[in-house]
């Protein structure tokens, strides 16, 4: 199987570089200065042990790459950008191409499946960052990431097995799971803290906001009857496989990085907003996730620095 990584940012860039270093056939879709730097100098992967350069074909759209029926397009953009990716997919890929959602949130697979029949979901456990054009940072110094995959909406397939095999060749730990969306819903619960982590400085008040957001998330999943793996099972899967003790400074998570780069947008509609949606559909109040979603959007819209809101003030606003 050949790979096209659509969105060579933090997660996509590390995946692309590791696949290339593992001997896989890899192309990337990127944009702006990041794209031009990759074309000129290659994609630079920074790890705790040093640096490597992956010289991979790069373009701003799929039409300028070689994408065939034997290709897996690994979609690694933010969730609010997925519809735009599908416009490109519809124009420039064969009907039997494989699409892989290497994304947070649980709404992307359905968007991909509207356009193509073969969709693979992925749970992304990959500490990474991208703050400089042409450069991605791998945060874990032993296994670079845990990237479990599975056929959407459920079950296994030869395509999922082929994707997992390629990822393992790149050094990742990858297991094929028939209940991949139950695992992705557990990851969603973990990502509910992204907005607070991006908007507020560390401290007990921020921790309280995250705990409250997760409590709401667990409540809406239960009300909706959505299968989700337990925290204990997720903890067991992670174990001590990801070693970030030697991690170079990367700032915060994906939402923090979006604010830091001043992109003007964040994907919280598909994280905290997913909880808000389920709450409205099933009659469960979600004031914490509503507030965190709006707070993150305000910071993004004004190009404010991450950590510039007071968690204590947000907690007070909730009480009022």
């Amino acid at each position: 199987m050949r790979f096209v990584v659509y969105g060579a940012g933090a997660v996509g860039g590390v995946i692309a570089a590791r696949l290339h270093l593992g001997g896989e056939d890899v192309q990337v879709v990127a944009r702006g200065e990041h794209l031009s730097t990759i074309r000129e100098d290659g994609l630079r992967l920074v790890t705790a042990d040093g640096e490597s350069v992956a010289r991979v074909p790069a373009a701003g759209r799929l039409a300028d790459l070689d994408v065939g029926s034997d290709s897996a397009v690994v979609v690694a953009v933010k969730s609010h950008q997925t519809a735009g990716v599908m416009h490109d997919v519809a124009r420039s890929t064969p009907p039997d191409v494989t699409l892989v959602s290497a994304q947070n949130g649980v709404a992307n697979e359905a968007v991909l499946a509207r356009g193509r029949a073969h969709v693979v979901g992925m749970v992304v456990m990959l500490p990474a960052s991208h703050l400089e054009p042409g450069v991605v940072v791998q945060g874990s110094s032993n296994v670079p990431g845990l990237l479990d995959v599975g056929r959407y909406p459920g079950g296994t397939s030869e395509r999922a097995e082929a994707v997992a095999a390629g990822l393992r060749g790149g050094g990742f730990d990858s297991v094929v799971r028939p209940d991949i969306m139950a695992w992705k819903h557990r990851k969603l619960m973990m990502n509910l803290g992204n907005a607070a982590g991006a908007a507020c400085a560390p401290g007990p008040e921020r921790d309280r906001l995250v705990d409250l957001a997760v409590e709401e998330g667990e409540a809406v999943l239960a009300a909706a009857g959505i299968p989700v793996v337990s925290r204990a099972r997720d903890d067991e899967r992670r174990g001590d496989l990801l070693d970030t003790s030697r991690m170079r400074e990367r700032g915060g998570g994906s939402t923090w990085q979006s604010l830091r780069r001043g992109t003007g947008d964040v994907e919280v509609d598909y994280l905290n907003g997913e909880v808000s949606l389920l709450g409205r559909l099933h009659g469960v109040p979600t004031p914490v996730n509503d507030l965190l979603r709006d707070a993150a959007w305000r910071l993004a819209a004004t190009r404010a620095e991450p950590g510039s809101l007071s968690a204590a003030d947000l907690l007070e606003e909730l009480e009022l």
Side-chain angles (χ1 to χ4, degrees):
M1 177 171 279
R2 298 183 298 149
F3 292 89
V4 179
V5 178
Y6 203 117
V11 167
V14 172
I15 291 175
R18 299 292 325 184
L19 286 172
H20 174 79
L21 294 172
E24 299 293 334
D25 183 337
V26 184
Q27 306 168 83
V28 301
V29 174
R31 61 185 180 182
E33 190 177 354
H34 189 44
L35 171 60
S36 60
T37 303
I38 294 172
R39 281 174 163 169
E40 293 174 10
D41 304 322
L43 177 61
R44 183 153 56 102
L45 173 68
V46 178
T47 73
D49 297 313
E51 299 183 5
S52 303
V53 176
R55 297 195 176 276
V56 295
R61 59 177 186 165
L62 291 170
D64 296 326
L65 298 173
D66 180 14
V67 186
S69 298
D70 60 343
S71 300
V73 178
V74 180
V75 181
V77 301
K78 296 293 191 294
S79 298
H80 57 278
Q81 299 165 330
T82 302
V85 172
M86 286 308 299
H87 295 160
D88 199 4
V89 167
R91 290 190 297 264
S92 306
T93 67
D96 56 349
V97 72
T98 302
L99 302 181
V100 184
S101 174
Q103 300 164 283
N104 288 327
V106 292
N108 297 290
E109 286 79 3
V111 176
L112 301 182
R114 287 185 175 95
R116 291 293 183 267
H118 302 291
V119 175
V120 173
M122 178 190 292
V123 179
V124 178
M125 309 178 196
L126 199 172
S129 65
H130 162 56
L131 298 173
E132 179 184 347
V135 180
V136 292
V137 178
Q138 172 190 310
S140 178
S141 58
N142 48 357
V143 177
L146 312 183
L147 302 178
D148 291 351
V149 298
R151 177 182 177 273
Y152 176 79
T156 61
S157 68
E158 291 183 0
R159 293 171 187 253
E161 295 285 355
V163 170
L167 292 169
R168 288 192 293 268
F172 296 102
D173 191 316
S174 183
V175 175
V176 178
R177 299 193 177 278
D179 57 345
I180 193 65
M181 296 310 296
W183 287 88
K184 293 205 71 166
H185 276 89
R186 173 51 55 197
K187 180 68 189 303
L188 173 65
M189 295 298 99
M190 298 183 63
N191 290 134
L192 296 181
N194 286 20
C200 308
E205 291 87 359
R206 190 180 79 175
D207 293 343
R208 178 60 177 157
L209 280 172
V210 174
D211 289 343
L212 291 172
V214 174
E215 287 177 13
E216 284 183 0
E218 300 281 4
V220 299
L221 291 184
I226 295 175
V228 56
V229 301
S230 66
R231 291 185 183 182
R233 193 176 175 199
D234 185 74
D235 288 343
E236 181 182 6
R237 170 67 180 113
R238 293 168 183 270
D240 58 358
L241 291 174
L242 297 177
D243 180 8
T244 59
S245 62
R246 299 170 61 204
M247 178 188 290
R248 300 190 182 193
E249 182 61 39
R250 74 181 186 107
S254 59
T255 304
W256 184 95
Q257 292 176 49
S258 293
L259 293 181
R260 184 66 181 81
R261 292 197 305 271
T263 62
D265 55 22
V266 283
E267 66 175 339
V268 289
D269 283 355
Y270 295 90
L271 303 177
N272 306 91
E274 189 72 31
V275 171
S276 299
L277 171 62
L278 288 171
R280 289 166 188 145
L281 292 175
H282 298 280
V284 179
T286 58
V288 182
N289 283 279
D290 296 347
L291 179 65
L292 289 176
R293 181 197 64 242
D294 289 351
W297 262 119
R298 287 197 301 271
L299 290 182
T302 58
R303 302 308 204 271
E305 283 293 313
S308 56
L309 294 183
S310 164
D313 288 348
L314 292 177
L315 285 171
E316 183 178 353
E317 187 174 343
L318 282 172
E319 293 175 2
L320 292 175

